Amino acid sequence: MSAPKKLFVKTYGCQMNVYDSERMVGALGTAGYEQVQDPAEADMILLNTCHIREKAAEKVYSELGRMRPLKDAKPDLKIGVAGCVAQAEGAEIMRRQPMVDLVVGPQAYHRLPAMEAKVQAGETALDTDFPEEDKFDHLPAPRGPKASRAPTAFLTVQEGCDKFCAFCVVPYTRGAEVSRPGARLLAEARDLVERGVADITLLGQNVNGYHGAGIDGDWTLARLIRELAKIDGLERIRYTTSHPNDMTDDLIDAHGEVEKLMPYLHLPVQSGSDAVLAGMNRRHTAEEYLRLIERIRAARPDIAMSGDFIVGFPGETEADFADTIALCEEVRYASAFSFKYSARPGTPAAGRTFVGDDVASERLGRLQALITDHQRSFQRAQVGKRMSLLVEKAGREPGQMIGKTPWLHAAHFDGPQTTQGNVVEVEIIGSNTNSLSARAI
Ligand code: SF4
């Protein structure tokens, strides 16, 4: 038997990409590859890229430039670019960086083994088509627990987006919304649980728009969550990322009724100004978003909110930004991601006039200071509470274990290795910069 070839994958961006990387490792596993952590050992390097951050494509080209010495030292090394930048740039990547052998978009990962065979034959391989068939049919089962040895895993339930926010490339790079059949997802979730997973995060670009075929008509995300909650051994369910307009009554009810659905919700708003929200084509107002959060909190009073903000969107005035600050003050996010606006080629907002880097940077600084303040006080407020902890791994100190609270804080406590993968009851006894200290009860 020949020795396995070695694959190094570098993942940028969101949870969706982390999951996709695992799927690509699985797909190339069937072509004789095993994953390594050092690019210098690799026979193939895949960059799984994200288009959301500023100057995403340029950063990929710089990273490729840094790989030049590896390719020079090992001419047989194959280099591939996957993910949203691959989808958006296509053949341009090979034109600008001829050392790239393979460019694959998110809709074509199941074709990676055939593409790999092509590059081994000395050709280049490019596939950024949106195929007709369900790409999920062709990939090996998710490798979450084996790949990470953690009791947590991602499960993609939906891909693509039909919302067309004016700043976003997802509807163009990931295509229209597609939901996976409920029965298949239940089977995959059971399989994950059998392999030791206790915490599943359901993934989708617009996950709460989920509408997959169920046993009695299409299931909503709420129905899927209720069915998943019946699986013995599955302790925690989460989902990300959601659009406010798809927070239906049945999903809000599920937050109040399904104990396994964790009290933590990522619900991006992007701006607190109605004028900016309209310019972004978000199709809701700030007031509607705030009333929605009130309803969610009424259903699940201990729920923590997380969000996303874009600062300096074209046309944003100081008064608009003040509305964002006011919304943030009202919601008090447990955590939130915030970015300066940066134009994505091909999106409706790309031709509009940016407020300028200095203005956007200064506003971003103010918003981030506020978010950090709220985040820290939410974390400090955990001290003295009793809660469950899903133990994920050993800590840095001898005899120490680390787990996640229902609110996604990392907490460490003194406990035996045998607690790994289990849910234990703890009392939070301290709040540090990035984690909590706990004591097993
Ligand atoms: S809902 Fe999210 S993924 Fe869809 S277009 Fe808007 S920002 Fe992009």
Side-chain angles (χ1 to χ4, degrees):
M1 219 169 86
S2 57
K5 288 175 277 185
K6 302 212 162 64
L7 171 68
F8 174 79
V9 183
K10 181 161 181 178
T11 308
Y12 300 79
C14 64
Q15 301 289 53
M16 196 84 184
N17 269 14
V18 173
Y19 177 84
D20 277 350
S21 289
E22 288 178 356
R23 309 279 282 191
M24 286 192 273
V25 170
L28 284 170
T30 64
Y33 280 84
E34 68 174 23
Q35 192 175 10
V36 293
Q37 303 306 324
D38 179 2
E41 279 180 45
D43 300 300
M44 176 177 284
I45 293 177
L46 270 183
L47 302 182
N48 189 9
T49 61
C50 167
H51 210 290
I52 298 296
R53 301 296 164 91
E54 231 180 334
K55 301 193 184 77
E58 289 314 310
K59 284 182 182 159
V60 172
Y61 288 118
S62 313
E63 180 74 32
L64 287 168
R66 283 194 291 278
M67 289 185 166
R68 179 88 253 171
L70 292 173
K71 182 92 172 178
D72 288 344
K74 196 183 207 180
D76 282 346
L77 171 68
K78 304 298 177 199
I79 295 184
V81 179
C84 293
V85 173
Q87 186 68 43
E89 298 275 303
E92 175 67 9
I93 296 179
M94 286 167 170
R95 200 189 59 75
R96 278 186 60 179
Q97 275 289 1
M99 70 172 188
V100 171
D101 302 280
L102 179 156
V103 173
V104 58
Q107 311 295 323
Y109 294 153
H110 62 282
R111 293 198 280 259
L112 266 172
M115 295 175 77
E116 193 272 342
K118 216 171 152 196
V119 301
Q120 290 303 342
E123 295 175 47
T124 55
L126 168 74
D127 193 339
T128 51
D129 287 346
F130 287 116
E132 291 294 310
E133 77 268 41
D134 179 358
K135 69 167 186 159
F136 302 104
D137 285 348
H138 304 268
L139 288 169
R143 295 166 31 103
K146 271 195 186 148
S148 61
R149 292 179 179 279
T152 57
F154 302 115
L155 184 57
T156 293
V157 303
Q158 178 276 337
E159 259 210 15
C161 184
D162 301 337
K163 292 278 188 288
F164 289 91
C165 298
F167 52 83
C168 182
V169 290
V170 165
Y172 311 100
T173 56
R174 298 268 179 160
E177 285 181 15
V178 180
S179 292
R180 304 184 62 209
R184 183 114 45 99
L185 293 169
L186 291 183
E188 282 184 21
R190 281 193 206 98
D191 183 46
L192 287 169
V193 171
E194 269 167 32
R195 292 197 272 156
V197 168
D199 179 331
I200 291 183
T201 301
L202 309 177
L203 290 181
Q205 267 96 23
N206 187 30
V207 70
N208 58 345
Y210 174 81
H211 264 282
I215 41 171
D216 44 9
D218 275 5
W219 284 0
T220 59
L221 186 67
R223 175 72 191 273
L224 177 65
I225 287 168
R226 287 179 194 276
E227 296 296 330
L228 287 167
K230 293 177 190 163
I231 299 176
D232 280 342
L234 177 57
E235 307 289 344
R236 294 175 165 193
I237 302 169
R238 308 174 186 276
Y239 61 92
T240 195
T241 288
S242 297
H243 190 287
N245 290 1
D246 286 325
M247 283 308 296
T248 52
D249 290 346
D250 67 340
L251 188 52
I252 295 173
D253 290 346
H255 276 282
E257 292 161 12
V258 180
E259 222 180 297
K260 292 182 179 181
L261 184 55
M262 289 293 99
Y264 188 97
L265 177 61
H266 183 62
L267 192 62
V269 63
Q270 310 298 359
S271 169
S273 151
D274 288 346
V276 173
L277 287 169
M280 289 175 165
N281 191 32
R282 293 288 290 177
R283 288 180 267 186
H284 63 77
T285 63
E287 186 62 20
E288 283 162 351
Y289 178 83
L290 290 169
R291 298 297 75 85
L292 175 62
I293 289 185
E294 257 176 28
R295 286 167 53 219
I296 297 166
R297 284 184 166 151
R300 181 81 204 230
D302 63 346
I303 201 160
M305 300 304 303
S306 129
D308 287 347
F309 289 93
I310 293 174
V311 174
F313 187 76
E316 184 190 77
T317 63
E318 187 54 35
D320 292 322
F321 180 67
D323 288 343
T324 297
I325 292 284
L327 180 141
C328 198
E329 289 276 18
E330 186 162 343
V331 176
R332 295 189 67 89
Y333 291 93
S335 128
F337 301 101
S338 50
F339 308 101
K340 268 187 291 184
Y341 172 75
S342 83
R344 297 282 165 268
T347 56
R352 302 182 201 163
T353 310
F354 179 42
V355 300
D357 201 54
D358 290 351
V359 172
S361 297
E362 190 275 330
R363 288 180 190 164
L364 183 66
R366 275 190 277 158
L367 179 65
Q368 289 186 336
L370 184 65
I371 291 168
T372 305
D373 185 39
H374 292 165
Q375 191 170 328
R376 291 203 177 130
S377 56
F378 177 71
Q379 186 178 311
R380 278 195 303 271
Q382 308 306 306
V383 178
K385 288 187 185 163
R386 291 180 167 210
M387 60 186 69
S388 65
L389 207 62
L390 176 62
V391 186
E392 293 188 352
K393 57 184 178 188
R396 246 184 269 153
E397 309 294 331
Q400 195 182 61
M401 299 299 289
I402 297 181
K404 284 268 164 57
T405 72
W407 296 277
L408 285 179
H409 288 121
H412 56 81
F413 69 104
D414 288 337
Q417 186 90 37
T418 49
T419 54
Q420 183 166 349
N422 295 334
V423 174
V424 299
E425 286 300 307
V426 297
E427 181 185 347
I428 304 300
I429 54 173
S431 174
N432 319 308
T433 316
N434 294 314
S435 65
L436 297 168
S437 320
R439 158 178 91 71
I441 297 171

